[in-house]
Amino acid sequence: MCGIFCLLSLSPTHFEWDKTIYEHLKRRGPNLSQDLTVTGKNPCYHCFFSAHVLHMRGLLTPQPVRDSTGNVLLWNGEIFGGLPVMPEENDTAVVSQRLSSCNSPAEILSVLSSIRGPWGFVYYQKAGHFLWFGRDFFGRRSLLWKFDADAELLTLTSVAAQTSEADQSAWQEVPAIGVYRIDLKAAKEAGSVTFEVYPWTNAGNDVLFTCSETIRDSVPNSCTAVMSQSGLTLTSPVCPLNMSIPQSLNETDIHPNLNSSVSVLEQLLTSRERNDEVNCLIDALSEAVKRRVQSLPFEVLNDSPPDSEHASVAILFSGGVDSMILAVLADHHVPAIQPIDLLNVAFRLQEPKKQKESAKKPKKHRNTCTDSKTDGAGQTSSPFDVPDRVTGKAGVKELQDLNPERTWNFVEINVTQEELQKMRHERICHLVHPLDTVLDDSIGCAVWFAARGAGFITVTTDGDQRPFTSSAKVILTGIGADEQLAGYSRHRARFKTSGQGGLIQELAMELGRISSRNLGRDDRVIGDHGKEARFPYLDEDVVSYLNSLPVWKKADLSLPRGVGEKLLLRLTAKRLGLGQSAVLPKRAMQFGSRIAKMEDSHEKASDKCTRLLTG
């Protein structure tokens, strides 16, 4: 993974680094930083490239990569399939070699279409004076753009920075609707920039990608975007969404004597057809996790072979079905000697009443940040015992029962309001930008603290804790599960009002907007710690399998919460040996971690969040 930056100047304007942006990029790529400037003579333009590398695979490869003919590549991505990458190879070098051999736009699009995995890139093609850039099909890597018409400067960057409230609308996320090409010669002559768009095709329906509407709302001021007149496109890496609606659909026949949600899942698994569907999903998900946890060469893992002290893989962990399945499958593929870090974040609700005497006598070797106390029943309670902490602890016990030989580091990450406010102002507001809603603030802050991995782990059966910071550079997240398997309450509401047809339209919309609502923000937030977000539920093979199924195979919203939503995933969890975690109702991160309760409880998720403003 990398922090990438490109500045295109159509005039002789002197460029000065925005110090905040530079620091953000450097944190994304702490292993190597390098700059490069390309100057065109006829026409005259300047391209300034800056790359900051997080070394994840193969040999450490400096960026920007400049080939023998003068082409320049900035690559922020991982190849998990589609192009062969040997264990000793670096995927940046592989992509550069492939693009260097391309002699036409069709060949460049063919290379990009073949890649399986997340990516964002900028590519200067010297022959013809072209600048290419874009994001993968789902937008799993951040890329932002801004154009300064007065200075004739176009900026492309992995992460930006807020400067003033007046500048709030300047930065935009590059829409993940395709890749873009700038004719530098034409731009120089016009003094403005036109983006030629090569869209993804075969998406299956109009809801997923309404390219013209998306680009119209997102193109920088004083710039123009036009669909390529050549008819060339990128080929979608996933199969179309199954839009079929049955003539009639029988209600799920559940035995009346079954009195638990787990028993319902057990009964459903007696169906051979259900078993086949579950097995196919397990195969696809297991392979997706394998690609993401085994692509690290030994020398990247703390510069030494895997050991029993340092984890290479962490999971954003609530104890819910999405993260539990990722943990089980990671356990199948991470070397047995290595721990797996389970990152569980909680936000303090209120200051507990403390006796003066207890303040004078801190408990030895305890996590003094939790201010634990004992209730009337003799149970230890804490202001950080939020819902996700409770389900997380229960989930760890299930994982320990499944594999007691594995070291499961349950990292309790506790955040006070003071620290939240401090880090939001110093760092997080810049990373969330240009998104600006209350929901973006809540999730962005929760994910940032979770990904930092600084908390406490329990070291004795008596509950003694010690400070702990996760060493993992790969962080698995469960995003994509709810969007594909009807996990949100809005899906149930749409099903009640519009039936199967309405639910299908809602799910189609979810995948179409996941890049702009979630993925760019989460990539910026997690990358700020020099760590890489990986999304197994958005693996192309997983999405293709789920897209191939009719909606009623994935969810049955006639069943109650905790069973009907994400039904196929719950059956998968049960088949993998999980228990109560398989039937936990969906709880959004902002509520499970209780960050939403720390701020104004009367806000709506879609409201603009004034706390994200730096001014």
CSV table of all heavy atoms in Angstrom, one decimal, residues 23 25 27 64 76 86 140 162 173 181 198 216-217 233 242 245 249 270 325 342 378 467 476 579 581 606-607:
chain,number,residue,atom,x,y,z
A,23,GLU,N,2.4,15.0,5.5
A,23,GLU,CA,2.5,14.1,6.7
A,23,GLU,C,1.5,13.0,6.7
A,23,GLU,O,1.8,11.8,7.1
A,23,GLU,CB,2.3,15.0,8.0
A,23,GLU,CG,3.4,16.0,8.3
A,23,GLU,CD,4.7,15.3,8.5
A,23,GLU,OE1,4.8,14.2,9.1
A,23,GLU,OE2,5.7,15.8,8.0
A,25,LEU,N,0.4,11.5,3.9
A,25,LEU,CA,0.9,10.5,3.0
A,25,LEU,C,2.1,9.7,3.5
A,25,LEU,O,2.2,8.5,3.3
A,25,LEU,CB,1.4,11.3,1.7
A,25,LEU,CG,0.3,11.9,0.9
A,25,LEU,CD1,0.9,12.9,-0.1
A,25,LEU,CD2,-0.6,10.9,0.1
A,27,ARG,N,2.6,9.0,6.6
A,27,ARG,CA,2.2,8.0,7.6
A,27,ARG,C,1.6,6.7,6.9
A,27,ARG,O,1.7,5.6,7.4
A,27,ARG,CB,1.1,8.6,8.6
A,27,ARG,CG,1.8,9.4,9.7
A,27,ARG,CD,0.8,9.7,10.8
A,27,ARG,NE,-0.3,10.6,10.3
A,27,ARG,CZ,-0.2,11.9,10.4
A,27,ARG,NH1,0.9,12.5,11.0
A,27,ARG,NH2,-1.1,12.7,10.0
A,64,PRO,N,7.9,6.9,-7.2
A,64,PRO,CA,7.3,6.6,-8.4
A,64,PRO,C,8.2,5.7,-9.3
A,64,PRO,O,9.4,5.8,-9.2
A,64,PRO,CB,7.1,7.9,-9.1
A,64,PRO,CG,7.2,8.9,-8.1
A,64,PRO,CD,8.1,8.4,-7.0
A,76,ASN,N,-1.1,2.2,-5.8
A,76,ASN,CA,-1.6,2.0,-4.4
A,76,ASN,C,-2.6,0.8,-4.5
A,76,ASN,O,-3.8,1.0,-4.6
A,76,ASN,CB,-2.2,3.2,-3.8
A,76,ASN,CG,-2.8,3.0,-2.5
A,76,ASN,OD1,-2.4,2.1,-1.7
A,76,ASN,ND2,-3.9,3.7,-2.1
A,86,MET,N,4.8,-13.5,-8.6
A,86,MET,CA,5.6,-14.5,-7.9
A,86,MET,C,5.9,-14.1,-6.5
A,86,MET,O,5.9,-12.9,-6.2
A,86,MET,CB,6.9,-14.8,-8.6
A,86,MET,CG,6.8,-15.4,-10.0
A,86,MET,SD,6.0,-17.0,-10.1
A,86,MET,CE,4.3,-16.6,-10.6
A,140,ARG,N,-11.9,0.5,-3.4
A,140,ARG,CA,-11.3,0.0,-2.1
A,140,ARG,C,-10.1,0.8,-1.7
A,140,ARG,O,-9.6,0.7,-0.6
A,140,ARG,CB,-11.0,-1.5,-2.2
A,140,ARG,CG,-12.3,-2.3,-2.2
A,140,ARG,CD,-11.9,-3.8,-2.6
A,140,ARG,NE,-11.6,-3.9,-4.0
A,140,ARG,CZ,-11.5,-5.0,-4.7
A,140,ARG,NH1,-11.6,-6.2,-4.0
A,140,ARG,NH2,-11.2,-5.1,-6.0
A,162,GLN,N,-8.1,19.3,5.4
A,162,GLN,CA,-9.0,20.5,5.5
A,162,GLN,C,-8.1,21.7,5.7
A,162,GLN,O,-7.1,21.7,6.4
A,162,GLN,CB,-9.9,20.4,6.7
A,162,GLN,CG,-11.0,19.4,6.5
A,162,GLN,CD,-12.1,19.6,7.6
A,162,GLN,OE1,-12.5,20.8,7.9
A,162,GLN,NE2,-12.7,18.6,8.1
A,173,GLU,N,-14.0,13.0,-3.9
A,173,GLU,CA,-13.5,11.6,-4.2
A,173,GLU,C,-13.6,11.3,-5.7
A,173,GLU,O,-14.7,11.6,-6.3
A,173,GLU,CB,-14.3,10.6,-3.4
A,173,GLU,CG,-13.9,10.6,-1.9
A,173,GLU,CD,-14.5,9.5,-1.1
A,173,GLU,OE1,-15.7,9.0,-1.5
A,173,GLU,OE2,-13.9,9.0,-0.2
A,181,ARG,N,-8.6,9.5,-18.4
A,181,ARG,CA,-7.4,9.8,-19.1
A,181,ARG,C,-7.5,11.3,-19.5
A,181,ARG,O,-8.5,11.8,-19.9
A,181,ARG,CB,-7.3,9.0,-20.4
A,181,ARG,CG,-6.0,9.2,-21.1
A,181,ARG,CD,-5.9,8.4,-22.4
A,181,ARG,NE,-6.7,8.9,-23.5
A,181,ARG,CZ,-6.5,8.6,-24.8
A,181,ARG,NH1,-5.6,7.7,-25.1
A,181,ARG,NH2,-7.2,9.2,-25.7
A,198,TYR,N,-13.4,6.0,-19.2
A,198,TYR,CA,-13.6,4.7,-19.7
A,198,TYR,C,-14.3,3.9,-18.6
A,198,TYR,O,-13.7,3.5,-17.6
A,198,TYR,CB,-12.3,4.0,-20.0
A,198,TYR,CG,-11.5,4.7,-21.1
A,198,TYR,CD1,-10.6,5.8,-20.8
A,198,TYR,CD2,-11.6,4.3,-22.4
A,198,TYR,CE1,-9.9,6.4,-21.8
A,198,TYR,CE2,-10.9,4.9,-23.5
A,198,TYR,CZ,-10.0,6.0,-23.2
A,198,TYR,OH,-9.3,6.6,-24.2
A,216,ARG,N,-21.2,13.9,-13.0
A,216,ARG,CA,-21.6,15.3,-13.0
A,216,ARG,C,-21.6,15.9,-11.6
A,216,ARG,O,-21.3,17.1,-11.5
A,216,ARG,CB,-23.1,15.4,-13.6
A,216,ARG,CG,-23.6,16.8,-13.8
A,216,ARG,CD,-24.9,16.8,-14.5
A,216,ARG,NE,-26.0,16.1,-13.8
A,216,ARG,CZ,-26.6,15.0,-14.3
A,216,ARG,NH1,-26.2,14.5,-15.5
A,216,ARG,NH2,-27.5,14.4,-13.6
A,217,ASP,N,-21.9,15.1,-10.6
A,217,ASP,CA,-21.9,15.6,-9.3
A,217,ASP,C,-20.5,15.7,-8.6
A,217,ASP,O,-20.4,16.3,-7.6
A,217,ASP,CB,-22.8,14.7,-8.4
A,217,ASP,CG,-24.3,14.7,-8.8
A,217,ASP,OD1,-24.7,15.8,-9.4
A,217,ASP,OD2,-25.0,13.8,-8.5
A,233,THR,N,-14.1,0.1,-23.0
A,233,THR,CA,-14.5,0.1,-21.6
A,233,THR,C,-13.7,-0.9,-20.8
A,233,THR,O,-12.9,-1.6,-21.4
A,233,THR,CB,-16.0,-0.4,-21.5
A,233,THR,OG1,-16.1,-1.7,-22.0
A,233,THR,CG2,-17.0,0.5,-22.2
A,242,ASN,N,-28.1,-11.0,-9.6
A,242,ASN,CA,-29.3,-11.7,-9.9
A,242,ASN,C,-30.5,-10.9,-9.5
A,242,ASN,O,-30.8,-10.7,-8.3
A,242,ASN,CB,-29.3,-13.1,-9.2
A,242,ASN,CG,-30.4,-14.0,-9.6
A,242,ASN,OD1,-31.5,-13.6,-9.9
A,242,ASN,ND2,-30.1,-15.3,-9.6
A,245,ILE,N,-37.2,-12.4,-9.5
A,245,ILE,CA,-38.2,-12.4,-8.5
A,245,ILE,C,-39.1,-13.6,-8.8
A,245,ILE,O,-39.6,-13.8,-9.9
A,245,ILE,CB,-39.0,-11.1,-8.6
A,245,ILE,CG1,-38.1,-9.9,-8.4
A,245,ILE,CG2,-40.1,-11.2,-7.5
A,245,ILE,CD1,-38.9,-8.6,-8.5
A,249,LEU,N,-43.3,-17.4,-3.5
A,249,LEU,CA,-42.2,-17.8,-2.6
A,249,LEU,C,-42.8,-18.2,-1.3
A,249,LEU,O,-43.5,-17.5,-0.6
A,249,LEU,CB,-41.2,-16.6,-2.3
A,249,LEU,CG,-40.0,-16.9,-1.5
A,249,LEU,CD1,-39.1,-17.9,-2.2
A,249,LEU,CD2,-39.2,-15.6,-1.2
A,270,THR,N,-30.4,-28.8,7.6
A,270,THR,CA,-30.7,-30.1,7.2
A,270,THR,C,-31.1,-30.2,5.7
A,270,THR,O,-31.1,-31.3,5.1
A,270,THR,CB,-31.9,-30.7,8.0
A,270,THR,OG1,-33.1,-29.9,7.8
A,270,THR,CG2,-31.6,-30.7,9.5
A,325,ILE,N,-16.7,-14.8,11.5
A,325,ILE,CA,-16.4,-15.6,10.4
A,325,ILE,C,-15.0,-15.3,9.9
A,325,ILE,O,-14.2,-16.2,9.6
A,325,ILE,CB,-17.4,-15.5,9.3
A,325,ILE,CG1,-18.7,-16.2,9.7
A,325,ILE,CG2,-16.9,-16.1,8.0
A,325,ILE,CD1,-19.9,-16.1,8.8
A,342,LEU,N,-7.5,-9.2,17.8
A,342,LEU,CA,-8.9,-8.9,17.6
A,342,LEU,C,-9.1,-7.5,18.2
A,342,LEU,O,-9.0,-7.3,19.4
A,342,LEU,CB,-9.8,-9.9,18.3
A,342,LEU,CG,-9.5,-11.3,18.0
A,342,LEU,CD1,-10.3,-12.3,18.9
A,342,LEU,CD2,-9.8,-11.6,16.5
A,378,GLY,N,-21.2,-8.9,42.5
A,378,GLY,CA,-19.8,-9.3,42.5
A,378,GLY,C,-19.1,-9.3,41.2
A,378,GLY,O,-18.0,-9.8,41.0
A,467,PRO,N,-0.7,-3.1,29.1
A,467,PRO,CA,-0.8,-2.3,27.8
A,467,PRO,C,-0.3,-3.1,26.6
A,467,PRO,O,0.6,-3.9,26.7
A,467,PRO,CB,0.1,-1.1,28.1
A,467,PRO,CG,0.2,-1.0,29.5
A,467,PRO,CD,0.1,-2.4,30.1
A,476,LEU,N,-8.2,-6.9,8.6
A,476,LEU,CA,-9.4,-7.4,7.9
A,476,LEU,C,-10.6,-6.7,8.5
A,476,LEU,O,-10.8,-6.5,9.7
A,476,LEU,CB,-9.5,-8.9,8.1
A,476,LEU,CG,-8.4,-9.8,7.7
A,476,LEU,CD1,-8.7,-11.2,7.9
A,476,LEU,CD2,-8.0,-9.5,6.2
A,579,GLY,N,-21.5,-20.5,17.6
A,579,GLY,CA,-22.7,-20.7,18.4
A,579,GLY,C,-23.6,-19.5,18.4
A,579,GLY,O,-24.1,-19.0,17.4
A,581,SER,N,-22.9,-16.4,18.5
A,581,SER,CA,-22.5,-15.2,17.7
A,581,SER,C,-23.2,-15.3,16.3
A,581,SER,O,-23.3,-14.3,15.6
A,581,SER,CB,-21.0,-15.2,17.5
A,581,SER,OG,-20.5,-16.4,16.9
A,606,SER,N,-27.3,11.7,8.8
A,606,SER,CA,-27.0,12.4,7.5
A,606,SER,C,-26.7,13.9,7.7
A,606,SER,O,-26.4,14.5,6.7
A,606,SER,CB,-28.2,12.2,6.6
A,606,SER,OG,-29.4,12.7,7.2
A,607,ASP,N,-26.8,14.4,8.9
A,607,ASP,CA,-26.5,15.8,9.2
A,607,ASP,C,-25.1,16.1,8.9
A,607,ASP,O,-24.2,15.2,9.2
A,607,ASP,CB,-26.9,16.2,10.6
A,607,ASP,CG,-28.4,16.2,10.9
A,607,ASP,OD1,-29.2,16.2,9.9
A,607,ASP,OD2,-28.8,16.2,12.1
